Amino acid sequence: MATTTLNEIKPFVESNDILAEPEQLRARARRDGYLFFRHLIPPDTVLQLRRDFLAVCDRHGWIKPGTDMMDGIRNGGPYMEGQDEYWPVLDDFQRMESFHTFAHYPSIIDVCTKLFGEPTLAHPRNIGRIMFPENTKYTTPAHQDYIHIQGTEETYTAWIPLGDCSQHFGSLAVLAGSHKFGVLPTKAAHGAGGLGVETDHLNLTWVSTDYRMGDVLLFQSLTVHKALPNQTRNRLRLSVDYRYQGQSQPITAGSLLPHFNRMSWAEIYQGWKSTKYQYYWKDLHPQIVPFTRKYHNVRR
Ligand SMILES: O=C(O)CCC(=O)C(=O)O
């Protein structure tokens, strides 16, 4: 799969200027397959979640002793999804009330509701990621989320780094306009999701940015995206993926389960202070549709 050098990546179109214009947000998302906002969330709110994530990493011995925990300087690894060492950390993220509550942050829901033209359903299947340096081979490959989510193509992923995240640090890039090409054939690949797509023949442009704390990228489920490698010497890249769709749209049962489904919601909710974001989707009676594995027949 072809790699992209940093100087081939063009900057995102920023959409803060049209935040109050639903028609324009929809038109831009239809054109580009993504919307990028600076400072959609107050940096202090993101910083608090970063603290919670890093406290988990620290408890598991992933932070270098004697360093400031908030710098996220790695100890050991690289570890990644699928490895024995990674699951206990992932499980601790899944139990965190602040991680799930953050998915409902009002300014994110507000922009989604404008985009969908109807109330938003936030999927409860939230994902937290820690990307180690010196692990380029396992950088998230170019892929489309639709094959993993299904339900409706009009599902949007919000990708939010928990801290400033330059391109050198492994920010997320999207292939602008790629959502117009439908579901692309998949190919076995290293990195999150394990499935990639070829993109050279599409002749489209990769776009990204140096994210600052509080910036949010939203992209449609058919939009091809990938991470850039974490090229720092020793820093952990932390981020969250949250998913959203219109409440009237169909959804698959898997999107209502915890990521990797390693614990029940009841286990996850133990010790939470509030019940507000527990089982909230049940009151919305989402229309459940089947999940197909027809896109998972990969070329090798
Ligand atoms: O953070 C990453 O490296 C991967 C994120 C991603 O692919 C997604 O949000 O769908």
Short mmCIF file of all heavy atoms in Angstrom, two decimals, residues 129 131 140-141 143 145 157-159 170 172 192 219 225-227 237 239-241 243, ligand 1:
data_model
loop_
_atom_site.label_atom_id
_atom_site.label_comp_id
_atom_site.label_asym_id
_atom_site.label_seq_id
_atom_site.Cartn_x
_atom_site.Cartn_y
_atom_site.Cartn_z
N ARG A 129 -7.91 5.14 21.86
CA ARG A 129 -6.70 4.57 21.23
C ARG A 129 -5.43 5.16 21.83
O ARG A 129 -5.37 6.35 22.14
CB ARG A 129 -6.68 4.88 19.73
CG ARG A 129 -7.84 4.26 18.99
CD ARG A 129 -7.65 4.41 17.48
NE ARG A 129 -8.88 4.13 16.76
CZ ARG A 129 -9.30 2.93 16.40
NH1 ARG A 129 -8.59 1.85 16.70
NH2 ARG A 129 -10.43 2.78 15.74
N MET A 131 -1.52 5.15 20.58
CA MET A 131 -0.63 4.78 19.47
C MET A 131 0.81 5.03 19.89
O MET A 131 1.21 6.17 20.13
CB MET A 131 -0.99 5.56 18.22
CG MET A 131 -2.39 5.23 17.70
SD MET A 131 -2.60 3.44 17.41
CE MET A 131 -4.11 3.42 16.48
N THR A 140 -2.50 2.95 11.57
CA THR A 140 -3.83 2.69 10.98
C THR A 140 -3.80 2.88 9.46
O THR A 140 -3.48 3.96 8.97
CB THR A 140 -4.88 3.63 11.59
OG1 THR A 140 -4.83 3.49 13.01
CG2 THR A 140 -6.27 3.30 11.09
N PRO A 141 -4.15 1.81 8.70
CA PRO A 141 -4.06 1.91 7.22
C PRO A 141 -5.25 2.69 6.64
O PRO A 141 -6.25 2.92 7.32
CB PRO A 141 -4.17 0.43 6.80
CG PRO A 141 -5.02 -0.20 7.86
CD PRO A 141 -4.67 0.51 9.15
N HIS A 143 -8.60 3.18 5.15
CA HIS A 143 -9.78 2.30 5.20
C HIS A 143 -11.05 3.12 5.29
O HIS A 143 -10.99 4.34 5.51
CB HIS A 143 -9.68 1.35 6.40
CG HIS A 143 -9.83 2.03 7.73
ND1 HIS A 143 -8.82 2.75 8.32
CD2 HIS A 143 -10.90 2.16 8.56
CE1 HIS A 143 -9.24 3.26 9.46
NE2 HIS A 143 -10.50 2.93 9.64
N ASP A 145 -14.77 3.26 7.38
CA ASP A 145 -15.41 2.72 8.59
C ASP A 145 -16.69 1.95 8.28
O ASP A 145 -17.12 1.12 9.08
CB ASP A 145 -15.74 3.87 9.57
CG ASP A 145 -14.50 4.33 10.32
OD1 ASP A 145 -13.44 3.68 10.20
OD2 ASP A 145 -14.60 5.34 11.04
N THR A 157 -17.95 9.58 11.98
CA THR A 157 -17.01 9.36 13.08
C THR A 157 -16.44 10.71 13.49
O THR A 157 -16.08 11.52 12.63
CB THR A 157 -15.85 8.44 12.62
OG1 THR A 157 -16.38 7.16 12.32
CG2 THR A 157 -14.78 8.31 13.70
N ALA A 158 -16.38 10.95 14.80
CA ALA A 158 -15.63 12.11 15.31
C ALA A 158 -14.29 11.57 15.79
O ALA A 158 -14.26 10.64 16.61
CB ALA A 158 -16.37 12.78 16.46
N TRP A 159 -13.21 12.13 15.27
CA TRP A 159 -11.87 11.74 15.72
C TRP A 159 -11.30 12.92 16.50
O TRP A 159 -11.21 14.04 15.97
CB TRP A 159 -10.97 11.39 14.54
CG TRP A 159 -9.65 10.82 14.97
CD1 TRP A 159 -9.40 9.52 15.31
CD2 TRP A 159 -8.40 11.51 15.14
NE1 TRP A 159 -8.08 9.36 15.67
CE2 TRP A 159 -7.44 10.57 15.58
CE3 TRP A 159 -8.00 12.83 14.97
CZ2 TRP A 159 -6.11 10.90 15.84
CZ3 TRP A 159 -6.67 13.16 15.23
CH2 TRP A 159 -5.74 12.20 15.66
N GLY A 170 1.36 11.76 14.38
CA GLY A 170 0.45 10.68 13.97
C GLY A 170 -1.00 11.11 13.88
O GLY A 170 -1.90 10.36 14.28
N LEU A 172 -4.74 12.15 12.20
CA LEU A 172 -5.57 11.44 11.23
C LEU A 172 -5.70 12.27 9.95
O LEU A 172 -5.89 13.49 10.01
CB LEU A 172 -6.97 11.15 11.81
CG LEU A 172 -7.62 9.90 11.20
CD1 LEU A 172 -6.98 8.64 11.79
CD2 LEU A 172 -9.12 9.86 11.44
N ALA A 192 -4.96 -0.80 13.05
CA ALA A 192 -6.33 -0.88 13.56
C ALA A 192 -7.30 -1.29 12.45
O ALA A 192 -7.24 -0.80 11.34
CB ALA A 192 -6.74 0.49 14.12
N PHE A 219 -16.08 12.71 9.95
CA PHE A 219 -16.07 12.24 8.56
C PHE A 219 -17.10 11.15 8.36
O PHE A 219 -17.43 10.39 9.28
CB PHE A 219 -14.67 11.77 8.13
CG PHE A 219 -14.06 10.72 9.01
CD1 PHE A 219 -14.25 9.38 8.75
CD2 PHE A 219 -13.29 11.08 10.11
CE1 PHE A 219 -13.69 8.41 9.57
CE2 PHE A 219 -12.72 10.11 10.92
CZ PHE A 219 -12.92 8.78 10.66
N HIS A 225 -9.82 7.11 5.26
CA HIS A 225 -8.96 7.87 6.18
C HIS A 225 -7.85 6.95 6.68
O HIS A 225 -7.96 5.72 6.58
CB HIS A 225 -9.77 8.44 7.35
CG HIS A 225 -10.51 7.39 8.12
ND1 HIS A 225 -11.64 6.76 7.63
CD2 HIS A 225 -10.27 6.82 9.33
CE1 HIS A 225 -12.05 5.87 8.50
NE2 HIS A 225 -11.25 5.87 9.54
N LYS A 226 -6.82 7.53 7.22
CA LYS A 226 -5.70 6.75 7.77
C LYS A 226 -4.97 7.61 8.78
O LYS A 226 -5.11 8.85 8.78
CB LYS A 226 -4.74 6.33 6.65
CG LYS A 226 -4.00 7.50 6.03
CD LYS A 226 -3.02 7.02 4.97
CE LYS A 226 -2.33 8.19 4.29
NZ LYS A 226 -1.44 7.77 3.21
N ALA A 227 -4.21 6.95 9.64
CA ALA A 227 -3.36 7.72 10.56
C ALA A 227 -2.01 7.94 9.90
O ALA A 227 -1.57 7.14 9.06
CB ALA A 227 -3.21 6.98 11.87
N ARG A 237 0.48 8.68 21.50
CA ARG A 237 -0.59 9.48 20.88
C ARG A 237 -1.93 8.94 21.36
O ARG A 237 -2.25 7.78 21.15
CB ARG A 237 -0.51 9.36 19.36
CG ARG A 237 -1.36 10.39 18.64
CD ARG A 237 -1.95 9.82 17.36
NE ARG A 237 -3.07 8.97 17.63
CZ ARG A 237 -3.70 8.25 16.70
NH1 ARG A 237 -3.31 8.26 15.46
NH2 ARG A 237 -4.74 7.50 17.01
N SER A 239 -6.15 9.22 21.49
CA SER A 239 -7.30 9.78 20.75
C SER A 239 -8.55 8.97 21.05
O SER A 239 -8.47 7.86 21.56
CB SER A 239 -7.02 9.76 19.24
OG SER A 239 -6.77 8.44 18.84
N VAL A 240 -9.68 9.57 20.71
CA VAL A 240 -10.96 8.85 20.82
C VAL A 240 -11.68 8.90 19.47
O VAL A 240 -11.52 9.86 18.72
CB VAL A 240 -11.88 9.44 21.92
CG1 VAL A 240 -11.30 9.17 23.30
CG2 VAL A 240 -12.12 10.94 21.74
N ASP A 241 -12.46 7.85 19.21
CA ASP A 241 -13.37 7.81 18.05
C ASP A 241 -14.77 7.66 18.61
O ASP A 241 -15.04 6.70 19.36
CB ASP A 241 -13.18 6.56 17.18
CG ASP A 241 -11.79 6.31 16.70
OD1 ASP A 241 -10.93 7.18 16.81
OD2 ASP A 241 -11.58 5.18 16.19
N ARG A 243 -19.03 7.81 17.34
CA ARG A 243 -19.80 7.73 16.09
C ARG A 243 -21.22 8.24 16.28
O ARG A 243 -21.80 8.04 17.36
CB ARG A 243 -19.80 6.30 15.59
CG ARG A 243 -18.35 5.87 15.36
CD ARG A 243 -18.20 4.79 14.36
NE ARG A 243 -16.79 4.66 14.05
CZ ARG A 243 -16.06 3.60 14.35
NH1 ARG A 243 -16.59 2.58 14.99
NH2 ARG A 243 -14.79 3.56 14.00
O1 LIG B 1 -6.72 6.79 15.49
C1 LIG B 1 -6.42 5.99 14.62
O2 LIG B 1 -5.26 5.68 14.34
C2 LIG B 1 -7.51 5.35 13.83
C3 LIG B 1 -8.82 6.05 13.87
C4 LIG B 1 -9.80 5.52 12.88
O3 LIG B 1 -9.46 4.86 11.95
C5 LIG B 1 -11.20 5.84 13.00
O4 LIG B 1 -11.53 6.76 13.77
O5 LIG B 1 -12.02 5.21 12.32
#
